[in-house]
């Protein structure tokens, strides 16, 4: 189940310390100008390097294996790969008997009967999101002139992100954060109820990203405390603009043309430097575990562009489905 | 896109004031005892009737059209329908030119070029969840011995639900709520990363339910404020039990055998009795709108069993997929 | 796997002697005029009654449960059902221990662990094609102005169909036949290589129909004996018309605008009156079996409209997919 | 639509003269021993080199990018690629205005609005089947102990294949052929009616292969001339063995345990050396076309292993689906 989408379909592959990671994008309309450099803006935002991110360095430059000719999409699947180079796999064997708390080590061991590649967290690594971001670049081109902007709005429970980072680093611990994503100038009428609402599509792909614990659209959880008379967004012009936007630009699972926005909660990186008491399955007893290696203090720092990509892929799929069923509609209220 | 699932697949159809509503369940294993009465326990929980719910009354009894013979599932698709009887469709034509704030009237008009059946909110009505609950009954049987329990834990921002309801009713307004769902004794190793994590599957189907604004698993949004050393759930025995359960029973998108739990935010019913200022698209000017008809003060009251059904369907699909790929595994850590 | 299609999706349910049979059509564009009577032309062609067909009589009139309002499609799923009335289920229990040669009795027993509903062949009955034909009516409306015509071109190896039928009936035996289907004035550019070529889509759904043993497009099997210089279809005008049509209107899996045509081979009805020597699984010995009941001498007689429906559904799905990815293209060679 | 399969899913990408071609295999059970050398037996059968095949030479050795660790499948997607090296792209620009009869040039031009990569026939090239064969190697491992054997049984209408080839080569023309494929010792109960019968699954993927014009299972087209009393396959033991096998091992779309077999018709290679009269779309007049370059005299020569792969992939998908729904059943008639 490493594919997402019905018409615009993204497949991901790769492991953190394997040969390569990549993405195959199917259903991309022909004639879209795409070059290797177009990817680097977003891919570099996803990269580590700044304070609070891992010291692992990858060039991350994509090689376009197919689907682009003379600088434009051809209509056949676009395959993108990048090599893994800066990998240090020495420490991971231990995690088979002492799975790291909060990590996928334990479930990966069970699910794949001991055959999972756990080096660098294997296919569970955040590194797999490279392909998501690369595919997101193409999705964003399809969605133009809509724009998608995500940003980290808090970390470790604070809006003073820098301070929170410094504190966590000084403690050798890790922190989470909240990312907000806004789709400005979205098309109307995207979303296919009952089961492929805008929220269903976006939440499905956002929850594929490792470390996401929650998502809310528009008013989100605060809606539960509001009255209907306050929550409802009154229409104020004949283009469907509303005076408030508690709905997050979505009614009945369908975009209404107002800004779409949502927030996602990112948990603290599981690989903390603080010693943990957990179970040693081979010795059948409790043990102490200190996770070494290069890790992000706050994985949420690298999330905004990943979440933008996820939203873009979901919306691009909805766009092509809607166009398929409805053609270019002219109806207006 | 009125189907959900890869192997265990649920399709819904129907409109609020149409002839019938129903569900087709495909991929149900043969040999499961199922009778019409098995459905009524859950379907009656979904029904209105108690304080704060609509006065519309439907018998809701399912007719089994296919897929069950001699009281057991046969392996062929199970079609379930119920007739709509108690419907009053007089008022809905107006909503084409004065779409109700918070409702799907506007987007349905645009998306379906004026052809949508808007009577009683048509295919956007909460009534469509009848089929979801009916399908959920079958999914729960597949998931046994796991148990799924959801309940309303707050309404209108208060845990004193009764008082909150009374206040809202006295004001002629509506309120939202928060539903918590727990899957007790779940199977391990469900979930298919990258794109079909437990959270992806559950959130996808939960966000198909009208009025849902947010979802969070385990620690959820509070994870964003926690340190990794606190958030991680240490393993404490050789069956993978953990001492805390911030992960909500899911690591890396895969169930770890501990209780799975999540919360969903439900917005206040859009149809409030309070007068609203909104746009009249046919006259191209602002107008006043008072929504009459029979509506729920708090739609969240009826949500728990719907959310149970959604979770059950998602997990049943994951169970059949996992069994397909991995057979009956014997591996243990 | 009782659904077909990616965007225009048809789900079938029902058993031969169950309560009802039906179809759910999802992804139908809104605004298409559809009434109950529109279905009867095709449904009556599928019915028995003429020489060589079963004496079972069903009214077959569809009830539209959803998705149509004020005589037009609304954009939400269209559910169609018809009741089974004229059923005689007395004889079928025997087939569990003495499965009929050529029938699905044996495999249905194994596959569904003895729980399959075998009365009247259950979900394996040709009766299930009622829903296919009903869905095909809608697909044909989507494909307009293309026309789809199928006919029986031989039966029992002879083009003198009437004589072949009479001979078979006099012998108490059954015969097969060949159906040819032509899509006149098809849209260009339908078909999605690599895996969803026009031939892939059509053959997939045609082989879902019980009793189909082969399919060939254009020159078909005779292509294997031809030279390339003869088989190739030269273009003769700037609209892509070709002087021959060995390709059957399809190049590289994509429609080229010329007539699409294919032939399907239909086996003789398995339920022959002639005594057969076969195995009694409960007694573990050979036995004699004489199949009684009401059966078609030549099921191929009723196939043309079923095959038209199958082709229409496949092409309607390809049309909506192509429009989704490519919009309304203007490019010309 | 460059993916096939529901649980065992194969995605293909690449163009004939692009950077690379490849396949991503998703849903492969963990623990299957796979090495780069395992692929070469089948991949070399697909290669050219013998009499009647193109002079283009590719090493075709796969690079395993992901999904295999320590020589076994890990449960995460397996990505395989090979570089294109021996390509000569000079001549293809002409085919945009003078599309080759029988080729995809014309439809590719229209469908992809002039943006298709037509060098070496691009994504329509038989070269794309490299990935199919590679994926087929893995599918065959999943299907063990079943064996799949295909062979060319006639070429140019003759069973004296060598003579037919020599004659065609001496004329500078091309010929077609017929491939027969047998699955020996198949599992029972594969196939998911209504829409995913064994024949539906196999025909879908076989018709994805360029140049296929027809397929027939068991008795195939000859069934149309047979009587039911002759066509039916009587059971002769308590394991479901039949004395004849006109059904091709499939009843009601489900494997009955007897040998599955089918035949596929392959058209003559479109690129014939014989001069053709066809249309010049840029000059809007008829013209003469002589196709140069390196081409197969009889593409059917290379088809057997491709068709084996296609059948294996279809059956592996059906196997995982059946196991998902039915577990490991014990029922016997």
């Amino acid at each position: 189940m490493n594919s997402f989408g019905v018409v615009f379909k993204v497949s991901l592959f790769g492991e953190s310390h394997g040969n390569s990671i990549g993405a195959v994008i199917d259903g991309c309309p022909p004639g879209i100008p795409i070059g290797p450099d177009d990817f680097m803006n977003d891919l570099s935002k996803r990269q580590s390097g700044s304070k609070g991110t891992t010291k692992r360095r990858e060039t991350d430059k994509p090689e376009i294996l197919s689907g682009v000719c003379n600088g434009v999409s051809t209509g056949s699947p676009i395959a993108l790969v990048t090599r893994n180079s800066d990998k240090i796999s020495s420490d991971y064997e231990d995690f088979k008997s002492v799975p790291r708390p909060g990590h996928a080590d334990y479930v990966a061991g069970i699910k794949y009967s001991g055959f999972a590649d756990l080096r660098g967290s294997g296919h569970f690594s955040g590194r797999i999101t490279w392909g998501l971001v690369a595919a997101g670049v193409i999705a964003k081109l399809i969605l133009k002139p809509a724009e998608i902007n995500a940003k980290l709005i808090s970390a470790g429970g604070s809006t003073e992100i820098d301070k929170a980072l410094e504190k966590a680093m000084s403690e050798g611990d890790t922190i989470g954060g909240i990312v907000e994503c806004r789709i400005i100038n979205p098309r109307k009428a995207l979303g296919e109820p009952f089961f492929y609402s805008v929220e269903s599509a976006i939440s499905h792909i956002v929850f594929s990203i490792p470390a996401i614990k929650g998502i809310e659209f528009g008013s989100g959880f605060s809606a539960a405390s509001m009255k209907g008379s306050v929550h409802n967004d009154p229409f104020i012009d004949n283009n469907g603009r509303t005076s408030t936007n508690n709905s997050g630009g979505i009614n009945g699972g369908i975009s209404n043309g107002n800004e779409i926005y949502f927030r996602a909660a990112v948990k603290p990186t599981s690989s903390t430097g603080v010693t943990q008491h957990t179970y040693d399955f081979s010795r059948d007893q409790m043990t102490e575990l200190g996770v070494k290696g290069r890790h992000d203090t706050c994985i949420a720092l690298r999330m905004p562009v990943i979440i933008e990509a996820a939203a873009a892929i979901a919306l691009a799929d909805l766009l092509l489905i809607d166009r398929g069923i409805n053609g270019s509609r002219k109806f207006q209220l």
Side-chain angles (χ1 to χ4, degrees), chain A:
Chain A
M1 305 295 141
N2 287 281
S3 298
F4 177 87
V6 175
V7 175
F8 182 76
K9 203 177 290 189
V10 174
S11 303
L12 300 183
F13 61 84
E15 290 93 25
S16 181
H17 290 196
N19 174 312
S20 297
I21 52 175
V24 181
I25 298 105
D26 198 10
C28 178
I32 297 178
I34 300 170
D37 295 338
D38 296 329
F39 294 96
M40 286 318 298
N41 187 29
D42 277 10
L43 287 173
S44 63
K45 287 184 191 169
R46 191 198 143 277
Q47 279 183 313
S48 59
S50 61
K51 183 168 58 182
T53 61
T54 173
K55 293 199 163 33
R56 179 174 175 177
R57 294 291 171 278
E58 296 283 4
T59 60
D60 274 0
K61 182 154 187 183
E63 187 180 15
I64 301 178
L65 299 186
S66 67
V68 176
C69 186
N70 298 324
V72 297
S73 63
T74 62
S76 69
I78 300 169
L80 304 168
V81 297
T82 197
R83 300 274 153 178
N84 291 322
S85 51
D86 182 15
K87 49 196 182 191
I88 305 173
S89 303
S90 51
D91 301 336
Y92 292 92
E93 195 59 26
D94 292 350
F95 301 148
K96 291 196 173 180
S97 46
V98 186
R100 291 167 291 174
H103 264 281
D105 300 339
Y106 175 72
V107 292
I110 297 286
K111 185 168 185 77
Y112 302 112
S113 298
F115 297 111
D117 177 1
L118 292 183
R119 297 168 301 151
S121 296
H123 191 56
F124 292 87
S125 166
R127 181 142 178 77
I128 309 312
T129 59
W130 178 91
L132 201 72
V133 172
V137 168
I138 294 171
K140 287 175 178 178
L141 294 172
I142 293 172
L143 292 172
K144 275 190 175 174
E147 280 188 37
I148 304 186
N149 295 318
K151 63 177 178 186
L152 185 66
I153 59 172
S154 73
S158 164
T159 56
E160 294 186 88
I161 294 170
D162 245 37
K163 282 192 188 165
L165 278 175
E166 276 164 25
K167 184 163 177 294
M169 292 169 77
S170 73
E171 296 171 352
D173 214 338
T174 60
I175 53 175
I178 293 179
V179 173
E180 186 171 80
C181 182
R182 294 179 174 277
I183 297 100
I184 301 150
N185 197 18
R187 276 179 190 75
K188 281 180 194 173
L190 302 187
E192 300 294 328
F194 188 84
F195 283 118
Y196 211 35
S197 68
V198 171
E199 299 99 323
S200 288
I202 290 178
S203 69
H204 183 142
I205 188 167
V206 166
F207 273 119
S208 303
I209 303 166
I212 302 294
K213 298 301 295 178
I215 193 168
E216 56 178 7
F217 292 83
S219 57
F221 275 86
S222 70
S225 313
M226 293 165 78
K227 295 178 182 175
S229 59
V230 175
H231 190 270
N232 287 343
D233 304 314
F235 295 100
I236 55 170
D237 71 14
N238 64 12
N239 195 25
R241 201 154 58 92
T242 58
S243 55
T244 55
N245 191 7
N246 288 308
S247 73
I250 308 163
N251 296 131
I254 296 174
S255 63
N256 64 20
N258 290 277
E259 194 176 284
I260 297 171
Y261 67 101
F262 63 93
R263 282 167 301 283
V266 185
K267 72 171 186 178
T269 316
S270 303
S271 295
T272 172
V274 177
T275 301
Q276 302 173 79
H277 295 264
T278 191
Y279 212 71
D280 184 326
F281 284 73
S282 61
R283 300 188 180 193
D284 217 352
Q285 62 183 37
M286 295 297 291
T287 188
E288 286 196 352
L289 177 68
V291 180
K292 296 186 187 63
R294 304 168 297 176
H295 298 290
D296 293 87
T297 297
C298 178
I299 189 71
L301 287 166
R302 298 164 66 185
M303 280 289 179
V305 74
I306 300 170
I307 285 175
E308 287 178 6
I313 291 165
L315 291 172
D317 191 34
L318 291 174
L319 171 59
L320 300 196
I321 295 169
D322 178 69
R323 188 163 69 187
I325 296 175
N326 296 291
S328 41
R329 68 172 70 71
K330 288 165 190 139
F331 181 83
Q332 290 192 321
L333 240 59

